[in-house]
């Protein structure tokens, strides 16, 4: 029975590691495209920056949900 507890802990750790891949990739794409848009059209930089921060907040919520789910299902 002790081995099962150790196994589920390892699986939860791997699961959270995989859950962070999506938001990490999403943040990279989101910030990269926002900076690309700001470089192409500097006059809309303020609007793009605001929308980027709203998008970053939503992506970070996904990462936090993965963390919380990892704690709840251990």
């Amino acid at each position: 029975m002790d081995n099962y507890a150790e196994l589920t802990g390892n699986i939860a750790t791997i699961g959270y590691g995989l859950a962070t891949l999506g938001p990490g990739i999403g943040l990279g794409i989101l910030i990269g495209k926002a900076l690309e848009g700001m470089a192409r059209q500097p006059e809309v930089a303020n609007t793009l920056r605001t929308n980027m921060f709203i998008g970053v907040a939503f992506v970070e919520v996904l990462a936090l949900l993965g963390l919380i789910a990892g704690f709840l299902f251990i």
Side-chain angles (χ1 to χ4, degrees):
M1 203 47 102
D2 290 333
N3 290 336
Y4 179 71
E6 293 172 6
L7 182 65
T8 57
N10 292 336
I11 292 174
T13 305
I14 292 171
Y16 178 63
L18 291 175
T20 59
L21 286 177
I25 293 170
L27 280 173
I29 293 171
L30 177 74
I31 294 171
K33 292 296 182 177
L35 289 175
E36 183 181 337
M38 287 179 206
R40 288 177 185 245
Q41 293 184 336
E43 64 272 4
V44 294
N46 289 332
T47 304
L48 285 174
R49 187 177 302 117
T50 302
N51 289 339
M52 180 190 71
F53 283 131
I54 291 170
V56 165
F58 285 130
V59 172
E60 286 296 325
V61 166
L62 290 175
L64 290 175
L65 284 175
L67 176 67
I68 292 169
F71 282 132
L72 287 178
F73 297 123
I74 288 181

